[in-house]
Amino acid sequence: MRILGIESSCDETAAAVVEDGRKIISNIVRTQISTHELYGGVVPEIASRAHLEAISSVTRLALEPAGGIENIDAVAVTNAPGLIGALLVGVGFAKGLAFSSKKPLVPVHHIRGHVASAYLSHSDLKPPFIALIVSGGHSHLVLVSDYTSYRILGGTRDDAAGESFDKAARVLGLGYPGGPKMDALAKSGNSDAIHFPRVHFADAPFDFSFSGVKTSIINYAHNAEQTGRELNKPDVAASFSKAICEILTEKAILAVNTVDLPQKKLVVAGGVAANSMLRKMISDAAEKNGVSLYIPDISLCGDNGAMIASQGFFEYVSGKRAESDLNAFATESIEL
Ligand code: KG4
Ligand code: ZN
């Protein structure tokens, strides 16, 4: 079964065709980075307009290797969560396409899509497992008990991990998008140079908080400026990254060791899963703890249509269909 996946929740217009949830036939991503770079972050209205301009050609390109919409069994589209104006473009387009081609339409939760990106890179991966999902707007630890059943174990109480990388990058004057730039700079720095705080909650071991570490880096940079001390940016980037990656690793491993699972399996997904320090730290910890680790290829960590097509397949198989009044939502729990 071939599913066309359409994704427009943030700053990438993406479409892909995936077979049986696992095999990528096509995967086209048109990023808006150069458009938003000018403003230092995503401007929602500009993002919506850029999606509107790109979505037809991106979808046409994705359909080409599949031989056109006639060879597609269903259209899957991200309808939540994300920037509402951006989501509405994808949902409106997918509805029109499904209607005109008489194909079923399947709504997909964006974060479920991130989890599914691991199925694309690891053909043997099956639930149940623990998923650490770390993106620009979300940081969650989730028990994935089946392809469409989720239970949130914990999440961030303030900023998401990706958001804090982006803010730290802005403090260091690295520009947007900050995560990959922090990653690159951290490689030449000393991660033990500065101690940034790690937050723990005694009553909620799987919850995160990244606002303290964000404030800490802002204060550190201001202090350096006021005292005329030159910032060692690679050291700051490396030390900041270590604080974030350590917390994520520690809690993910704790979750997989605590929750009763037939096999200790951990998935790490979302834009921040591309981070080289996190990949290394979490794979070392997984090995030490006898945990099987599944991280998508770096090319599938950021937003893409293939992950939506993959999850769309599993949603379709479970019987999920969009009604004719399908809408988009800026927020929606992964559990629903
Ligand atoms: O999943 P994603 O593409 O979009 C959302 O659903 O939010 O995640 C984007 C986030 C951004 O905050 C970006 O800075 C971060 O992922 N990111 C990274 C890296 N690549 C992307 N953060 C740290 N290191 C990276 N290599
Ligand atoms: Zn995303």
Side-chain angles (χ1 to χ4, degrees):
M1 170 172 276
R2 287 182 166 189
I3 309 277
L4 169 69
I6 295 176
E7 156 62 36
S8 70
S9 68
C10 190
D11 57 351
E12 331 276 357
T13 314
V17 175
V18 171
E19 199 169 280
D20 297 332
R22 303 269 181 180
K23 187 176 167 210
I24 298 177
I25 308 295
S26 64
N27 191 21
I28 309 292
V29 180
R30 192 164 302 161
T31 182
Q32 302 175 5
I33 285 178
S34 58
T35 311
H36 299 293
E37 218 165 19
L38 230 66
Y39 309 95
V42 180
V43 183
E45 184 182 336
I46 294 175
S48 307
R49 291 179 184 281
H51 285 307
L52 202 56
E53 286 172 6
I55 201 152
S56 303
S57 63
V58 165
T59 306
R60 186 171 292 127
L61 283 174
L63 284 171
E64 248 167 40
I69 190 77
E70 309 79 59
N71 299 319
I72 298 298
D73 297 290
V75 177
V77 64
T78 307
N79 78 315
L83 299 173
I84 193 63
L87 286 166
L88 285 168
V89 173
V91 170
F93 181 83
K95 270 187 164 185
L97 186 59
F99 181 79
S100 60
S101 61
K102 301 190 174 58
K103 304 288 177 187
L105 181 63
V106 181
V108 174
H109 189 281
H110 181 76
I111 305 301
R112 290 188 180 197
H114 274 302
V115 174
S117 62
Y119 302 135
L120 295 166
S121 296
H122 304 276
S123 54
D124 58 326
L125 173 65
K126 291 189 176 87
F129 53 77
I130 299 293
L132 169 69
I133 307 141
V134 272
S135 71
H138 301 266
S139 295
H140 281 311
L141 267 167
V142 176
L143 167 62
V144 181
S145 45
D146 198 358
Y147 292 101
T148 56
S149 315
Y150 309 78
R151 184 160 65 81
I152 296 173
L153 305 171
T156 183
R157 295 193 178 186
D158 38 59
D159 297 343
E163 204 178 346
S164 54
F165 271 115
D166 293 337
K167 282 178 184 162
R170 202 175 299 174
V171 170
L172 296 181
L174 304 181
Y176 156 90
K181 293 185 175 168
M182 286 286 284
D183 192 353
L185 190 64
K187 285 187 176 134
S188 58
N190 171 9
S191 62
D192 294 318
I194 306 142
H195 183 81
F196 288 113
R198 282 88 164 140
V199 173
H200 293 272
F201 299 99
D203 58 333
F206 304 130
D207 275 2
F208 304 100
S209 167
F210 297 113
S211 66
V213 69
K214 178 189 73 185
T215 309
S216 183
I217 193 174
I218 292 171
N219 290 344
Y220 187 86
H222 281 173
N223 190 271
E225 201 184 351
Q226 278 161 2
T227 54
R229 191 163 37 89
E230 206 184 315
L231 268 189
N232 182 326
K233 290 187 183 181
D235 280 2
V236 179
S239 303
F240 181 86
S241 301
K242 190 177 180 185
I244 304 272
C245 296
E246 264 185 14
I247 280 282
L248 294 174
T249 301
E250 197 180 296
K251 287 177 186 278
I253 296 291
L254 180 68
V256 81
N257 278 336
T258 309
V259 175
D260 192 22
L261 290 168
Q263 280 172 282
K264 290 209 264 178
K265 292 192 215 171
L266 175 64
V267 164
V268 184
V272 181
N275 185 270
S276 55
M277 190 186 283
L278 181 64
R279 291 173 89 94
K280 167 90 175 71
M281 205 182 271
I282 219 157
S283 59
D284 289 349
E287 203 182 321
K288 231 181 259 170
N289 284 271
V291 171
S292 305
L293 180 65
Y294 303 86
I295 312 187
D297 288 344
I298 290 191
S299 63
L300 294 171
C301 288
D303 293 345
N304 63 84
M307 70 187 203
I308 301 305
S310 171
Q311 185 58 27
F313 168 78
F314 295 110
E315 300 285 353
Y316 182 89
V317 167
S318 80
K320 191 154 179 186
R321 304 287 183 276
E323 300 297 328
S324 61
D325 60 352
L326 177 70
N327 213 328
F329 302 95
T331 55
E332 187 178 271
S333 169
I334 192 174
E335 290 180 346
L336 293 178

PDB file of all heavy atoms in Angstrom, residues 7 9-10 110-111 114 135-138 270-271 301-304 307, ligand 2:
ATOM      1  N   GLU A   7       3.294  17.410   4.628  1.00  0.00           N
ATOM      2  CA  GLU A   7       3.697  18.025   5.905  1.00  0.00           C
ATOM      3  C   GLU A   7       3.937  19.527   5.691  1.00  0.00           C
ATOM      4  O   GLU A   7       4.695  19.911   4.798  1.00  0.00           O
ATOM      5  CB  GLU A   7       4.986  17.322   6.392  1.00  0.00           C
ATOM      6  CG  GLU A   7       5.880  18.094   7.324  1.00  0.00           C
ATOM      7  CD  GLU A   7       5.257  18.468   8.662  1.00  0.00           C
ATOM      8  OE1 GLU A   7       4.466  17.659   9.207  1.00  0.00           O
ATOM      9  OE2 GLU A   7       5.535  19.575   9.159  1.00  0.00           O
ATOM     10  N   SER A   9       3.730  21.784   8.877  1.00  0.00           N
ATOM     11  CA  SER A   9       3.395  22.316  10.206  1.00  0.00           C
ATOM     12  C   SER A   9       4.280  23.463  10.669  1.00  0.00           C
ATOM     13  O   SER A   9       3.923  24.200  11.577  1.00  0.00           O
ATOM     14  CB  SER A   9       3.446  21.196  11.242  1.00  0.00           C
ATOM     15  OG  SER A   9       4.774  20.759  11.409  1.00  0.00           O
ATOM     16  N   CYS A  10       5.469  23.604  10.048  1.00  0.00           N
ATOM     17  CA  CYS A  10       6.365  24.676  10.509  1.00  0.00           C
ATOM     18  C   CYS A  10       7.047  25.350   9.318  1.00  0.00           C
ATOM     19  O   CYS A  10       6.388  26.060   8.564  1.00  0.00           O
ATOM     20  CB  CYS A  10       7.358  24.127  11.530  1.00  0.00           C
ATOM     21  SG  CYS A  10       8.285  25.427  12.359  1.00  0.00           S
ATOM     22  N   HIS A 110       1.659  15.318  14.115  1.00  0.00           N
ATOM     23  CA  HIS A 110       3.049  15.569  13.721  1.00  0.00           C
ATOM     24  C   HIS A 110       4.073  14.799  14.574  1.00  0.00           C
ATOM     25  O   HIS A 110       5.057  14.265  14.050  1.00  0.00           O
ATOM     26  CB  HIS A 110       3.316  17.083  13.809  1.00  0.00           C
ATOM     27  CG  HIS A 110       4.685  17.483  13.405  1.00  0.00           C
ATOM     28  ND1 HIS A 110       5.094  17.549  12.086  1.00  0.00           N
ATOM     29  CD2 HIS A 110       5.774  17.827  14.142  1.00  0.00           C
ATOM     30  CE1 HIS A 110       6.361  17.920  12.045  1.00  0.00           C
ATOM     31  NE2 HIS A 110       6.803  18.097  13.273  1.00  0.00           N
ATOM     32  N   ILE A 111       3.827  14.735  15.871  1.00  0.00           N
ATOM     33  CA  ILE A 111       4.804  14.074  16.761  1.00  0.00           C
ATOM     34  C   ILE A 111       4.753  12.553  16.577  1.00  0.00           C
ATOM     35  O   ILE A 111       5.776  11.882  16.668  1.00  0.00           O
ATOM     36  CB  ILE A 111       4.554  14.479  18.237  1.00  0.00           C
ATOM     37  CG1 ILE A 111       4.566  16.012  18.383  1.00  0.00           C
ATOM     38  CG2 ILE A 111       5.599  13.865  19.160  1.00  0.00           C
ATOM     39  CD1 ILE A 111       5.855  16.679  17.942  1.00  0.00           C
ATOM     40  N   HIS A 114       7.044  11.994  13.819  1.00  0.00           N
ATOM     41  CA  HIS A 114       8.466  11.940  14.207  1.00  0.00           C
ATOM     42  C   HIS A 114       8.837  10.550  14.719  1.00  0.00           C
ATOM     43  O   HIS A 114       9.908  10.030  14.404  1.00  0.00           O
ATOM     44  CB  HIS A 114       8.777  12.994  15.271  1.00  0.00           C
ATOM     45  CG  HIS A 114       9.119  14.346  14.690  1.00  0.00           C
ATOM     46  ND1 HIS A 114      10.164  14.521  13.811  1.00  0.00           N
ATOM     47  CD2 HIS A 114       8.558  15.568  14.846  1.00  0.00           C
ATOM     48  CE1 HIS A 114      10.239  15.796  13.460  1.00  0.00           C
ATOM     49  NE2 HIS A 114       9.267  16.459  14.065  1.00  0.00           N
ATOM     50  N   SER A 135      12.031  18.038  19.614  1.00  0.00           N
ATOM     51  CA  SER A 135      11.968  18.862  18.405  1.00  0.00           C
ATOM     52  C   SER A 135      11.994  20.328  18.808  1.00  0.00           C
ATOM     53  O   SER A 135      12.319  20.674  19.944  1.00  0.00           O
ATOM     54  CB  SER A 135      10.710  18.515  17.619  1.00  0.00           C
ATOM     55  OG  SER A 135       9.579  18.987  18.302  1.00  0.00           O
ATOM     56  N   GLY A 136      11.631  21.196  17.867  1.00  0.00           N
ATOM     57  CA  GLY A 136      11.655  22.629  18.149  1.00  0.00           C
ATOM     58  C   GLY A 136      10.577  23.044  19.140  1.00  0.00           C
ATOM     59  O   GLY A 136      10.781  23.938  19.956  1.00  0.00           O
ATOM     60  N   GLY A 137       9.446  22.379  19.083  1.00  0.00           N
ATOM     61  CA  GLY A 137       8.339  22.767  19.954  1.00  0.00           C
ATOM     62  C   GLY A 137       7.990  21.734  21.008  1.00  0.00           C
ATOM     63  O   GLY A 137       7.114  21.980  21.847  1.00  0.00           O
ATOM     64  N   HIS A 138       8.635  20.570  20.980  1.00  0.00           N
ATOM     65  CA  HIS A 138       8.240  19.485  21.890  1.00  0.00           C
ATOM     66  C   HIS A 138       9.434  18.749  22.479  1.00  0.00           C
ATOM     67  O   HIS A 138      10.429  18.546  21.797  1.00  0.00           O
ATOM     68  CB  HIS A 138       7.364  18.449  21.146  1.00  0.00           C
ATOM     69  CG  HIS A 138       6.139  19.048  20.595  1.00  0.00           C
ATOM     70  ND1 HIS A 138       4.941  19.048  21.248  1.00  0.00           N
ATOM     71  CD2 HIS A 138       5.932  19.732  19.441  1.00  0.00           C
ATOM     72  CE1 HIS A 138       4.047  19.694  20.537  1.00  0.00           C
ATOM     73  NE2 HIS A 138       4.625  20.120  19.426  1.00  0.00           N
ATOM     74  N   GLY A 270      12.881  13.416  16.221  1.00  0.00           N
ATOM     75  CA  GLY A 270      12.671  14.868  16.209  1.00  0.00           C
ATOM     76  C   GLY A 270      13.950  15.572  15.784  1.00  0.00           C
ATOM     77  O   GLY A 270      15.031  14.961  15.768  1.00  0.00           O
ATOM     78  N   GLY A 271      13.844  16.842  15.468  1.00  0.00           N
ATOM     79  CA  GLY A 271      14.984  17.605  14.942  1.00  0.00           C
ATOM     80  C   GLY A 271      16.241  17.492  15.780  1.00  0.00           C
ATOM     81  O   GLY A 271      17.344  17.358  15.241  1.00  0.00           O
ATOM     82  N   CYS A 301      15.449  13.170  10.625  1.00  0.00           N
ATOM     83  CA  CYS A 301      15.166  13.718  11.965  1.00  0.00           C
ATOM     84  C   CYS A 301      14.334  14.991  11.876  1.00  0.00           C
ATOM     85  O   CYS A 301      13.420  15.206  12.669  1.00  0.00           O
ATOM     86  CB  CYS A 301      16.470  13.997  12.716  1.00  0.00           C
ATOM     87  SG  CYS A 301      17.287  12.481  13.251  1.00  0.00           S
ATOM     88  N   GLY A 302      14.647  15.849  10.926  1.00  0.00           N
ATOM     89  CA  GLY A 302      13.872  17.084  10.753  1.00  0.00           C
ATOM     90  C   GLY A 302      12.532  16.780  10.100  1.00  0.00           C
ATOM     91  O   GLY A 302      12.248  15.632   9.728  1.00  0.00           O
ATOM     92  N   ASP A 303      11.697  17.800   9.984  1.00  0.00           N
ATOM     93  CA  ASP A 303      10.358  17.583   9.414  1.00  0.00           C
ATOM     94  C   ASP A 303      10.443  17.104   7.966  1.00  0.00           C
ATOM     95  O   ASP A 303      11.214  17.643   7.176  1.00  0.00           O
ATOM     96  CB  ASP A 303       9.568  18.899   9.479  1.00  0.00           C
ATOM     97  CG  ASP A 303       9.275  19.294  10.914  1.00  0.00           C
ATOM     98  OD1 ASP A 303       9.414  18.440  11.807  1.00  0.00           O
ATOM     99  OD2 ASP A 303       8.888  20.459  11.132  1.00  0.00           O
ATOM    100  N   ASN A 304       9.656  16.106   7.644  1.00  0.00           N
ATOM    101  CA  ASN A 304       9.632  15.567   6.282  1.00  0.00           C
ATOM    102  C   ASN A 304       8.293  14.891   6.013  1.00  0.00           C
ATOM    103  O   ASN A 304       7.528  14.619   6.949  1.00  0.00           O
ATOM    104  CB  ASN A 304      10.805  14.592   6.080  1.00  0.00           C
ATOM    105  CG  ASN A 304      10.712  13.389   6.983  1.00  0.00           C
ATOM    106  OD1 ASN A 304      10.030  12.415   6.676  1.00  0.00           O
ATOM    107  ND2 ASN A 304      11.366  13.428   8.146  1.00  0.00           N
ATOM    108  N   MET A 307       7.865  10.691   7.038  1.00  0.00           N
ATOM    109  CA  MET A 307       7.430  10.275   8.381  1.00  0.00           C
ATOM    110  C   MET A 307       5.903  10.380   8.502  1.00  0.00           C
ATOM    111  O   MET A 307       5.277   9.586   9.210  1.00  0.00           O
ATOM    112  CB  MET A 307       8.142  11.100   9.472  1.00  0.00           C
ATOM    113  CG  MET A 307       7.720  12.556   9.542  1.00  0.00           C
ATOM    114  SD  MET A 307       8.768  13.490  10.705  1.00  0.00           S
ATOM    115  CE  MET A 307       7.655  14.862  11.118  1.00  0.00           C
TER     116      MET A 307
HETATM  117 ZN    ZN B   2       8.776  18.379  13.742  1.00  0.00          ZN
END
